[in-house]
Amino acid sequence: MEKVERNLMEPIGEVNLQATKMDLSNTAKKVQAKIENFLVKKGYLLVVVGFLLGRALILSKLTPFGLPFFAVVYLLKKDRAPLALVGLIAGAATISITNAASTFAITFLFMLFYQATKKWLKNEAKGLPIYVSLILTAGKLAESFVTTKDLSLYDGMMAVVQGCLAFILTLIFMQSIPLLTMNKRKQSLTTEEIVCLIIMLASIMTGTIGWVAYDLSIEHIMSRYLVLVFSFVAGATVGSTVGVVTGLIFSLANVSSFSNMSLLAFSGVLGGLLKEGKKIGVSAGLLIATLLIGMYGEGSGSILLTVLESTAAIVLFLLTPKSLTSRLAKYIPGTPEYTAEQQKYMRKMRDVTAQRVAQFSTVFHALSQSFSNSGEQDDFEEEDRELDYFLSNVTEKTCQTCFKKEQCWSKNFTKTYEYMGEIIHEMDQNTGTVSQRLSRDFDKYCTRSKKVMDVIQQELTFYQANQKLKKKVMESRRLVADQLLGVSEVMENFAKEIQRERENHHKQEEQILEALLEFGIEIENVEIYSLEQGNVDIDIVLPFGNSHGECEKLIAPMLSDILGETIVVNTETGFNKSNGFCQVTFKSTKAFVVDTGVAHAAKDGGFVSGDSYSTIELGGGKFAIAISDGMGNGERAHIESTETLKLLQKILKSGIEEKVAIKSVNSILSLRTTDEIFSTLDLAMIDLQNAAAKFLKIGSTPSFIKRGDRVIKIQASNLPMGILQEFEVDVVSQQLKAGDLLIMMSDGVFEGPKHVENYELWMKRKIKELETDDPQEVADLIMEEVIRSRSGLIGDDMTVTVAKIKHNTPKWASIPVQKMKRRA
């Protein structure tokens, strides 16, 4: 008994409310999907819409809705046209049997006439409204003649009015009916499509005129419900538009409903303004509008009835699933759901693009690996294999027909092989000759020694040419591998840049706008693209031109104080008289700037120098200074040095890393000519944000940094470009400071002074004795000192570049305002 009681006291199990909630949600989604499938995909929604439009009236007499509706469905969805016709005839039958017969006859006349003349139509969509207008006008005239046996001017005017209305309604339905029948919607709705949709929905609801439930008018409930939905989804503008359009159409259908238009418009405005309160706020807007407008009614009974109708509309609105309103909001521009949908689409496109770029990067990386691995073989095995091939060619032409073949290659293989190898080695090293000792020994050993040596020398010529060609091929492979690897890295970085999502800076935009307005500067709009340190990008639209320098004198200094870094005017579109606005882009300025000076001279005072120099403004806040010295002097050396710098400049600007760029230039120079033409390269890369410098010296002379009374030497040991294919670039890093002078020179300047034992000490002393810090003056003075030391003679091409590092001081000081926080 105790055991039974204990079992009864124990809990049977837990109730999983989360799972129950999910089951209910899934069930609701399934029911919604089935309803949507029945109404939209199978087309039975057209029966309902046709029924309401079939009984819709204008001025209590005109029925212009039926034929335009059927004609548009017949054009767009011919297989669903019978459903639309059934609905129209059923709706018309609720007015009168005569009206149903007239609807069927006019529809049949349209199909007959349309099918007979369709082959002459070039554009069916453009011709349809005219067909509908003419057929409906003719049909209504025929109907009046049949029923009254006479045609009056009034009947003719009413028929023409219905024809004109049918023309307009056909155009409207052609825009709006696809929104009901197509399962796949467009990305967004245009303003015209939204208005057409509203007119169509209002026209459909006119079919409910005269329906009453518990003394409540169905038309009033449905019209207010429509206003509630659009006010909640799209705000006051669209809500008031829906109210006005719906009220206008209802008043055309029934003149007594004219006073309802003000209620609908007012409730649309109030509901839209209170949409931040969600459905309760929008509902409160309708109730307030109902009470205010109801004061003009006829007594308390009328107010009570109007309030009850609004309450019924609110109940329907509250019961509307969120999924329906969210889906509608996705297609109306300006709504948060539409913005989210657009961002989702753009994010998807961005991810797809980044993925494709990353795939290309992977392909290039794989190709680079393939070219690199194809040359990685065991050198010893390769040499043995090539020696075997070489000896097989020699023996085929000499030993193959010798009577001592068996004795040499079978019984004494090792000794014969060693003799052959030694002869090949000495001929290769001594340009085709062998030592007398080896020649004498081999004559004793081989009966055909002279012929064997001649064949070896002949084959050696082919072998050396083959080795040279193979070396060129290997160098080409390495060059292609390096280039592909560099491209792969650039594309990988580009893919990462694409995937960087633009941050939302709404709060910061409001803070900047408020700060500028408080200062008295009139601003139309502020849009922030980036607040990253050193990479700020802000667009400001001004309602005036920048004729007095307001942007650089006021706005940029204020932004500098707000953001804590120097901001300057980057671009300005100029005042546009058509819209009255001027757009200005503000960006971060660099923390440092570089002033440069150059002095150069050709050998013996000639016009063409073998030295070339370049100052390169790279992206990402980097500044490069380069000097290249081609081997020798004159035009050939000038061409080599110029080509070196041009190649380097293009490769660096593409975003490829400095080391890879220099290796690529070196490979190209070594491959493109068989002449012994080499170039030196002296490259300095300066980061303008922190003044950090990287020096890459390829066969070049030292550089010097003058910092006050100190002179710092920068030196690296690398051979000139084009001599070796494989070499490691020695990179020297140095932190520069404001006021530093960076002095770079070619060997003609560094080694130019005559009767000087230690060039380095002489150059340091001359730099230290300089009393000026102007870059151009420094370059001229160093050049002058070197030429004076040679008694005015210029013994080699000379180039000096001097760069002065300075803090970037803005022209206008920052204006203190309230600070703002950057988005993390």
Side-chain angles (χ1 to χ4, degrees):
M1 186 68 182
E2 290 179 1
K3 186 177 180 180
V4 173
E5 289 178 356
R6 189 163 55 250
N7 289 338
L8 289 173
M9 294 292 289
E10 290 176 356
I12 296 173
E14 295 182 2
V15 178
N16 193 341
L17 295 175
Q18 189 69 23
T20 306
K21 189 175 180 180
M22 289 182 65
D23 290 340
L24 289 173
S25 177
N26 291 333
T27 304
K29 287 182 179 178
K30 288 179 181 178
V31 172
Q32 184 178 344
K34 286 182 178 180
I35 294 173
E36 185 176 344
N37 181 64
F38 178 78
L39 291 177
V40 179
K41 292 183 179 179
K42 292 187 177 180
Y44 290 102
L45 180 62
L46 296 174
V47 178
V48 178
V49 173
F51 178 80
L52 293 174
L53 288 176
R55 66 185 313 276
L57 299 172
I58 289 182
L59 301 177
S60 304
K61 183 177 181 181
L62 307 180
T63 57
F65 300 101
L67 184 58
F69 173 70
F70 175 81
V72 173
V73 174
Y74 186 77
L75 177 68
L76 301 177
K77 290 273 187 180
K78 189 174 290 186
D79 56 327
R80 304 288 167 80
L83 295 175
L85 182 59
V86 169
L88 285 172
I89 294 172
T94 60
I95 300 175
S96 66
I97 299 299
T98 305
N99 197 20
S102 173
T103 301
F104 177 77
I106 291 174
T107 305
F108 181 77
L109 181 63
F110 165 77
M111 286 193 296
L112 190 66
F113 187 69
Y114 184 75
Q115 287 295 333
T117 59
K118 185 173 68 171
K119 57 185 177 182
W120 290 296
L121 277 178
K122 292 182 180 180
N123 191 326
E124 295 183 10
K126 288 184 178 180
L128 188 67
I130 299 174
Y131 272 84
V132 171
S133 177
L134 293 175
I135 295 296
L136 187 61
T137 303
K140 290 299 178 181
L141 286 174
E143 180 186 352
S144 299
F145 182 77
V146 169
T147 53
T148 61
K149 304 297 182 180
D150 189 21
L151 279 177
S152 63
L153 180 62
Y154 175 78
D155 293 333
M157 290 179 62
M158 288 295 103
V160 171
V161 168
Q162 289 199 70
C164 295
L165 289 173
F167 182 89
I168 297 170
L169 287 170
T170 304
L171 295 174
I172 292 172
F173 288 165
M174 287 175 69
Q175 293 280 338
S176 54
I177 285 179
L179 304 177
L180 299 179
T181 57
M182 303 295 180
N183 190 34
K184 292 183 179 179
R185 306 286 196 271
K186 291 171 57 179
Q187 189 69 20
S188 63
L189 300 179
T190 62
T191 305
E192 292 78 9
E193 287 176 330
I194 294 173
V195 173
C196 290
L197 178 63
I198 295 168
I199 293 173
M200 188 189 71
L201 292 175
S203 302
I204 292 170
M205 284 189 295
T206 56
T208 63
I209 290 178
W211 290 2
V212 177
Y214 297 100
D215 294 331
L216 302 179
S217 173
I218 301 297
E219 61 178 286
H220 290 167
I221 295 172
M222 295 306 297
S223 60
R224 292 170 198 178
Y225 170 74
L226 185 65
V227 171
L228 284 172
V229 170
F230 276 93
S231 298
F232 175 69
V233 166
T237 305
V238 177
S240 60
T241 303
V242 172
V244 171
V245 172
T246 306
L248 182 62
I249 292 176
F250 270 77
S251 63
L252 289 175
N254 189 356
V255 180
S256 61
S257 301
F258 189 78
S259 60
N260 195 41
M261 182 169 64
S262 56
L263 170 60
L264 294 175
F266 191 32
S267 62
V269 173
L270 283 180
L273 294 175
L274 297 174
K275 67 170 292 189
E276 294 299 324
K278 306 299 180 184
K279 287 188 175 182
I280 301 299
V282 178
S283 303
L286 176 60
L287 281 177
I288 293 171
T290 303
L291 291 172
L292 290 175
I293 300 298
M295 297 295 182
Y296 295 96
E298 299 176 359
S300 60
S302 176
I303 295 177
L304 179 62
L305 192 62
T306 306
V307 170
L308 288 175
E309 289 172 347
S310 296
T311 305
I314 290 170
V315 171
L316 279 177
F317 174 61
L318 295 175
L319 293 175
T320 302
K322 186 179 179 181
S323 59
L324 182 64
T325 55
S326 298
R327 185 186 295 184
L328 179 61
K330 287 180 182 178
Y331 304 108
I332 299 179
T335 62
E337 289 83 0
Y338 173 80
T339 304
E341 192 72 13
Q342 291 293 103
Q343 289 178 349
K344 181 180 177 182
Y345 174 75
M346 294 302 295
R347 196 178 298 117
K348 182 179 178 181
M349 293 299 297
R350 181 201 66 201
D351 292 342
V352 169
T353 305
Q355 186 179 3
R356 292 298 299 275
V357 174
Q359 286 174 351
F360 282 121
S361 173
T362 306
V363 170
F364 282 114
H365 189 270
L367 288 172
S368 172
Q369 292 288 341
S370 175
F371 276 101
S372 299
N373 295 335
S374 63
E376 294 179 1
Q377 298 177 353
D378 193 333
D379 293 338
F380 294 107
E381 290 184 5
E382 184 68 19
E383 286 181 9
D384 291 341
R385 190 181 299 111
E386 288 178 354
L387 182 59
D388 290 342
Y389 284 140
F390 187 92
L391 288 177
S392 66
N393 290 332
V394 173
T395 55
E396 184 180 355
K397 297 177 180 178
T398 57
C399 301
Q400 195 70 26
T401 58
C402 182
F403 66 93
K404 293 181 68 176
K405 173 185 174 184
E406 188 72 21
Q407 182 180 354
C408 294
W409 290 105
S410 296
K411 295 179 180 180
N412 298 314
F413 174 81
T414 305
K415 189 175 182 180
T416 306
Y417 192 87
E418 288 176 354
Y419 267 125
M420 290 286 196
E422 195 173 352
I423 292 170
I424 292 170
H425 178 72
E426 287 200 10
M427 281 190 173
D428 189 27
Q429 296 295 321
N430 301 323
T431 62
T433 61
V434 295
S435 64
Q436 290 183 357
R437 180 195 60 80
L438 179 60
S439 177
R440 186 171 57 250
D441 292 345
F442 190 63
D443 284 341
K444 294 177 182 178
Y445 182 77
C446 178
T447 58
R448 297 185 177 183
S449 58
K450 184 71 171 68
K451 185 177 181 181
V452 169
M453 286 188 180
D454 290 341
V455 172
I456 288 176
Q457 188 171 5
Q458 183 182 0
E459 288 293 327
L460 190 61
T461 305
F462 293 120
Y463 173 77
Q464 288 172 341
N466 186 43
Q467 288 297 106
K468 193 171 185 180
L469 179 61
K470 188 178 290 186
K471 183 182 178 183
K472 286 289 185 182
V473 170
M474 292 299 297
E475 290 174 354
S476 300
R477 283 178 175 172
R478 293 193 191 100
L479 171 61
V480 172
D482 289 343
Q483 289 292 314
L484 289 173
L485 183 62
V487 172
S488 172
E489 291 174 354
V490 170
M491 296 188 78
E492 184 180 0
N493 294 334
F494 182 53
K496 290 177 182 177
E497 284 292 322
I498 292 174
Q499 286 183 318
R500 283 182 61 188
E501 195 167 347
R502 183 195 162 192
E503 298 176 350
N504 265 326
H505 300 293
H506 297 307
K507 185 178 179 182
Q508 288 84 351
E509 289 171 356
E510 290 294 329
Q511 290 176 350
I512 290 176
L513 187 62
E514 184 180 348
L516 294 175
L517 289 174
E518 284 181 0
F519 198 76
I521 301 174
E522 191 175 352
I523 300 295
E524 183 67 26
N525 185 40
V526 176
E527 191 164 0
I528 298 175
Y529 292 96
S530 173
L531 284 179
E532 183 183 348
Q533 185 75 30
N535 194 30
V536 172
D537 190 354
I538 302 174
D539 277 356
I540 296 182
V541 178
L542 306 171
F544 54 85
N546 188 27
S547 56
H548 300 292
E550 294 90 344
C551 295
E552 57 266 23
K553 295 176 184 177
L554 294 177
I555 300 176
M558 291 180 68
L559 291 175
S560 300
D561 187 77
I562 291 171
L563 299 172
E565 64 175 286
T566 306
I567 307 297
V568 295
V569 176
N570 182 264
T571 56
E572 180 185 345
T573 59
F575 186 70
N576 191 339
K577 293 183 179 180
S578 60
N579 56 23
F581 294 122
C582 171
Q583 182 171 331
V584 184
T585 301
F586 295 86
K587 289 191 176 182
S588 300
T589 188
K590 307 307 175 189
F592 295 87
V593 292
V594 177
D595 286 345
T596 58
V598 180
H600 58 94
K603 182 179 179 181
D604 298 327
F607 292 103
V608 180
S609 171
D611 295 349
S612 295
Y613 66 91
S614 179
T615 55
I616 312 166
E617 187 77 42
L618 302 175
K622 289 186 178 181
F623 188 83
I625 305 170
I627 297 177
S628 179
D629 182 5
M631 190 186 78
N633 311 102
E635 188 174 353
R636 184 65 186 274
H638 174 74
I639 291 172
E640 286 300 319
S641 61
T642 304
E643 286 297 315
T644 300
L645 289 187
K646 282 183 179 179
L647 280 170
L648 181 68
Q649 184 171 348
K650 289 177 180 178
I651 295 174
L652 285 176
K653 283 191 172 183
S654 70
I656 293 178
E657 199 253 343
E658 297 92 355
K659 286 187 179 182
V660 178
I662 288 177
K663 284 187 176 183
S664 300
V665 173
N666 178 69
S667 300
I668 293 168
L669 292 177
S670 63
L671 286 174
R672 72 180 182 180
T673 179
T674 58
D675 298 336
E676 299 294 316
I677 297 294
F678 313 120
S679 298
T680 67
L681 178 65
D682 195 357
L683 175 66
M685 301 279 293
I686 305 171
D687 191 332
L688 298 179
Q689 287 297 343
N690 53 19
K694 289 182 181 179
F695 296 90
L696 296 92
K697 293 182 169 290
I698 313 298
S700 58
T701 56
S703 298
F704 299 92
I705 298 173
K706 185 176 188 296
R707 182 176 296 162
D709 293 332
R710 292 177 58 203
V711 178
I712 304 167
K713 184 183 79 168
I714 306 296
Q715 188 172 16
S717 54
N718 292 309
L719 288 171
M721 302 183 75
I723 294 180
L724 295 177
Q725 169 61 27
E726 285 298 317
F727 71 99
E728 286 299 321
V729 180
D730 189 10
V731 180
V732 179
S733 298
Q734 183 73 34
Q735 180 62 51
L736 301 179
K737 296 181 180 179
D740 285 356
L741 286 175
L742 171 60
I743 303 167
M744 300 166 63
M745 62 193 73
S746 63
D747 59 348
V749 176
F750 183 72
E751 300 172 357
K754 200 171 183 181
H755 308 301
V756 173
E757 292 184 4
N758 193 321
Y759 297 116
E760 180 185 329
L761 289 177
W762 186 89
M763 188 60 68
K764 278 188 173 181
R765 179 169 59 84
K766 291 297 179 183
I767 292 173
K768 194 172 183 179
E769 291 174 354
L770 291 171
E771 296 181 358
T772 179
D773 61 353
D774 181 80
Q776 188 58 53
E777 291 181 3
V778 170
D780 293 337
L781 286 172
I782 292 174
M783 180 73 75
E784 184 181 349
E785 286 289 341
V786 173
I787 295 174
R788 278 176 182 241
S789 71
R790 300 185 64 88
S791 302
L793 298 176
I794 302 175
D796 194 3
D797 297 323
M798 298 182 180
T799 302
V800 182
T801 63
V802 181
K804 184 179 180 181
I805 315 301
K806 299 192 302 183
H807 281 300
N808 189 8
T809 306
K811 185 177 179 181
W812 299 92
S814 61
I815 300 174
V817 291
Q818 185 180 1
K819 302 283 184 181
M820 64 173 270
K821 293 182 180 179
R822 292 173 182 268
R823 178 179 286 270

